[in-house]
Amino acid sequence: MWMDTSISRWLRAALMAACLLAVAGGTVAEEESHPQERNPKDPFEPFNRAMFAVNEVIDKVAARPAAQAYDTVTPLPVKAAVGNFFGNVGDLWVGVNSALQGKGGDAGNDLARLLINSTIGIFGLFDVASELGLERHDEDFGQTLAVWGVGDGGYLFLPILGPRTVRDAAAWGVDYAADPVRFIDPVRVRNSATVVRFVDIRASLLPADKIIAEAAFDRYSYIRDAYLQRRRNQIFDGRPPRLDDDY
């Protein structure tokens, strides 16, 4: 319990520090230095750039070194098993969101994946379902709200949580509440699982760091545009309608 409380306090402290930095005046400087780059999908750009700067520091001093160490010392089969395990844990909530979006077939597929990988796949360590042709989907409550007609509310960047939209940031609270990892007991195991999942996800993004460094003149804009495009594809299951030429 003490570790759980400590992590919560650390997260709150990080977010508070980020907000204080924004209030301190960094947002004004950013707004003046990028007046020609304002994107209609990014109405909070000055605030977002300040939060992005805070997150870059957190990533540089903590997240990225941990991910690099994990990537270096962990054998590939173990990394695959870790990713499979947490992917299997998430299939239950993916299936719920598929059902909420009216995708009955996908929901059945997700449930079948969960049952097969939890049994034959030894608690999800092996992705047997994919070998049997059952596709893994990627659904969350933010996508569900989008299907229900809720607007995105504009782009938003938050330290640790990373790129979001206002809609997805609000939906993250529901995703977090439904996360099966939250119900692991004892607390020390839950905290360990949370940290391992975070580091594993960050390690999977290490190849993208090099791509962004080589291709992006402005890291913030590059990540924002890539996120919004990917999010749109997720919401429309890879078949988004054509955007208006003006946009």
Side-chain angles (χ1 to χ4, degrees):
M1 181 64 68
W2 178 85
M3 290 181 64
D4 191 39
T5 303
S6 298
I7 291 176
S8 298
R9 288 177 177 174
W10 182 82
L11 290 173
R12 288 198 298 267
L15 292 174
M16 180 64 72
C19 292
L20 290 174
L21 179 63
V23 174
T27 57
V28 175
E30 289 292 346
E31 185 174 17
E32 292 176 351
S33 62
H34 299 276
Q36 75 283 3
E37 300 176 9
R38 299 303 295 269
N39 186 309
K41 300 296 290 183
D42 190 1
F44 316 111
E45 182 171 351
F47 172 83
N48 288 338
R49 284 185 178 273
M51 297 301 99
F52 180 78
V54 172
N55 195 74
E56 288 284 90
V57 174
I58 295 173
D59 187 64
K60 182 178 180 180
V61 302
R64 190 183 306 160
Q68 290 171 333
Y70 170 83
D71 190 58
T72 299
V73 304
T74 307
L76 184 59
V78 175
K79 287 188 286 188
V82 170
N84 288 337
F85 173 79
F86 287 112
N88 184 62
V89 168
D91 274 343
L92 176 60
W93 186 234
V94 169
V96 171
N97 279 285
S98 292
L100 291 174
Q101 295 172 32
K103 304 172 184 175
D106 287 355
N109 177 96
D110 300 328
L111 178 59
R113 283 185 54 86
L114 178 64
L115 294 175
I116 292 173
N117 285 340
S118 297
T119 54
I120 302 176
I122 311 177
F123 302 107
L125 296 177
F126 300 95
D127 189 2
V128 179
S130 291
E131 298 296 329
L132 296 177
L134 295 175
E135 179 185 1
R136 168 170 285 166
H137 299 119
D138 184 10
E139 305 289 352
D140 53 50
F141 195 63
Q143 295 178 62
T144 297
L145 291 180
V147 171
W148 290 353
V150 178
D152 60 33
Y155 179 71
L156 186 66
F157 194 99
L158 298 174
I160 303 175
L161 296 183
R164 306 271 164 171
T165 63
V166 173
R167 175 192 60 220
D168 295 337
W172 177 83
V174 179
D175 291 330
Y176 175 74
D179 182 9
V181 175
R182 288 189 61 245
F183 304 100
I184 295 177
D185 193 57
V187 173
R188 64 179 181 277
V189 177
R190 178 198 317 159
N191 291 336
S192 298
T194 300
V195 171
V196 170
R197 178 170 59 180
F198 176 82
V199 173
D200 180 70
I201 292 174
R202 183 61 185 90
S204 71
L205 297 175
L206 289 174
D209 290 346
K210 182 180 295 186
I211 296 174
I212 295 173
E214 294 176 351
F217 175 76
D218 180 358
R219 284 175 57 86
Y220 170 82
S221 296
Y222 187 95
I223 291 173
R224 176 196 63 199
D225 296 344
Y227 171 80
L228 291 175
Q229 180 179 354
R230 177 176 179 271
R231 195 60 176 160
R232 181 174 171 80
N233 282 332
Q234 287 179 319
I235 291 170
F236 289 100
D237 296 328
R239 299 181 296 275
R242 293 186 59 181
L243 293 171
D244 188 35
D245 289 340
D246 290 339
Y247 176 70

